[in-house]
Every structure is written in structure tokens, then in C-alpha cells.
Amino acid sequence: MAGFVQIIEYRTSKPDEIAALMEDFRAKREADAGGAAPMRGMTCADRDEPGRYFAIVEFASYEAAMENSRRADTTEFSERMMELCDGPGTFYNLEKVDEQEYR
């Protein structure tokens, strides 16, 4: 099974500003339509720890994720996002080994 998932764990007191930044980044990336890009993304809020969030981003492969990371717009987005966070984020780089869908 091919695939790669990156999870970014972060804390923020400005979740609405981060959501707007993410939406702006997504819209610009879709309009550009060139180069490596995530296949899908999801943001989750921790119900047990207010202010703790997880961005879950899926790529076709590790190589696609690394190509995406090298893009100037990704670097700019990441820097702007970290400015809105309450401390540094933690990154998890995961190879997808299995997937199930439930109905």
C-alpha cells in the first residue's frame, strides 16, 4: 500500500486565524495546480486538551511529501503558521501500511 501521512501536533490560542491561513494556502495551491501537493488534509481539535490541535495531511508518497516541503509557498505557510502557535509544533512522518473504510 503506497501512501504517506504527516501529522503536525500544535497548540494555539488562535485556531480561527490558523484555519483562515490553511484555507488561504489550500485555495492558492489549488489555483496554482503545479508541483507536489497533499492529496487531502484534516484538522482535529483535542477534546481532552483545549488548545491542542492536529493537522493530518496525506500524500501519495514520501517523495511527494518531501517535494511539497521544499516548495517556497510551503515554507512560507509553515513559518506563518508557527507564528500563530503557542510554541513549536511536533511532526510525525508515517508510512501508510493499511487502510480500512467503514460504512
Side-chain angles (χ1 to χ4, degrees), residues 58-101:
E58 185 175 354
F59 295 89
S61 66
Y62 170 80
E63 292 76 20
M66 294 304 101
E67 183 180 336
N68 178 72
S69 292
R70 290 188 291 270
R71 290 178 57 136
D73 61 341
T74 300
T75 300
E76 179 185 345
F77 164 77
S78 180
E79 289 170 353
R80 290 180 62 201
M81 181 176 167
M82 289 302 117
E83 290 172 1
L84 297 171
C85 288
D86 303 332
T90 302
F91 290 77
Y92 302 92
N93 296 304
L94 310 169
E95 292 292 335
K96 188 194 295 187
V97 296
D98 192 17
E99 179 177 342
Q100 303 86 34
E101 289 191 33

Side-chain angles (χ1 to χ4, degrees), residues 5-94:
V5 175
Q6 187 171 66
I7 299 175
I8 303 103
E9 176 184 357
Y10 61 96
R11 295 179 184 280
T12 187
S13 55
K14 302 173 182 174
D16 294 338
E17 291 178 53
I18 288 181
L21 178 67
M22 287 182 172
E23 178 55 28
D24 182 59
F25 178 72
R26 185 200 60 75
K28 286 179 181 175
R29 183 60 69 86
E30 279 187 0
D32 178 27
M39 294 171 42
R40 71 179 56 93
M42 176 187 316
T43 302
C44 301
D46 189 331
R47 295 188 72 133
D48 299 322
E49 287 189 46
R52 182 179 177 204
Y53 296 86
F54 295 86
I56 303 166
V57 187
E58 185 175 354
F59 295 89
S61 66
Y62 170 80
E63 292 76 20
M66 294 304 101
E67 183 180 336
N68 178 72
S69 292
R70 290 188 291 270
R71 290 178 57 136
D73 61 341
T74 300
T75 300
E76 179 185 345
F77 164 77
S78 180
E79 289 170 353
R80 290 180 62 201
M81 181 176 167
M82 289 302 117
E83 290 172 1
L84 297 171
C85 288
D86 303 332
T90 302
F91 290 77
Y92 302 92
N93 296 304
L94 310 169

